[in-house]
Amino acid sequence: MGRRILNDALRTIVNAEKRGFASTQLQPVSNVIANFLQIMKYRGYIKDFEVHDPHRVGKITVQLLGRINDCRALTYRQDIKAASMENYKTRTLPTRQWGYVVITTPNGVLDHEEAMRQNVGGQVIGYFY
């Protein structure tokens, strides 16, 4: 999946949040976008999302809560080890209290806390706070 597609979807969410919308639609659909949104939902940053017709072009409808300040996808490849994850998190996120770095690992797409708990590294695909 192209990282540009993920970045466009995340920027659409941020712009809808800033304009005060209750929901937004993302297009096209990919599994990485759905996994990223699943992590955001689990951490309480979005209310819910629904994938419509994933086998064709498809759409994702995202119900927003108003908690997202910024979320971005890295357009370049950034490998990270489990030992250096804390250092990367402090450089990327604005504060220690909130925000998550999303990493694709051999165990699937995880946030940095779950990756540190499982002691796995991988590639950074984005972050949100």
Side-chain angles (χ1 to χ4, degrees):
M1 185 212 103
R3 292 179 187 241
R4 176 76 189 243
I5 296 170
L6 177 63
N7 197 30
D8 290 345
L10 296 179
R11 297 316 299 165
T12 302
I13 291 173
V14 170
N15 291 338
E17 287 271 2
K18 287 182 179 177
R19 294 199 57 195
F21 293 161
S23 67
T24 187
Q25 286 195 349
L26 308 177
Q27 201 174 13
V29 175
S30 75
N31 289 337
V32 175
I33 293 174
N35 290 338
F36 201 100
L37 292 174
Q38 187 67 38
I39 292 172
M40 291 175 80
K41 179 182 174 184
Y42 177 73
R43 296 299 181 180
Y45 280 80
I46 61 173
K47 189 175 189 179
D48 196 15
F49 70 96
E50 185 178 350
V51 180
H52 304 285
D53 197 17
H55 300 295
R56 299 185 71 195
V57 174
K59 293 180 186 173
I60 298 177
T61 304
V62 181
Q63 304 294 324
L64 304 173
L65 286 175
R67 279 196 65 196
I68 300 171
N69 294 323
D70 193 18
C71 57
R72 297 195 183 219
L74 273 71
T75 55
Y76 55 91
R77 191 167 162 159
Q78 178 73 41
D79 294 330
I80 189 167
K81 296 179 182 175
S84 62
M85 210 168 292
E86 187 68 32
N87 186 20
Y88 184 83
K89 180 188 79 111
T90 55
R91 283 186 298 142
T92 306
L93 299 176
T95 181
R96 291 180 178 269
Q97 280 82 22
W98 66 82
Y100 296 93
V101 177
V102 181
I103 304 161
T104 179
T105 67
N107 297 350
V109 178
L110 306 171
D111 59 32
H112 70 273
E113 289 182 355
E114 189 65 30
M116 284 191 296
R117 198 172 300 121
Q118 295 180 11
N119 196 26
V120 293
Q123 289 183 353
V124 178
I125 59 172
Y127 60 90
F128 61 93
Y129 56 88

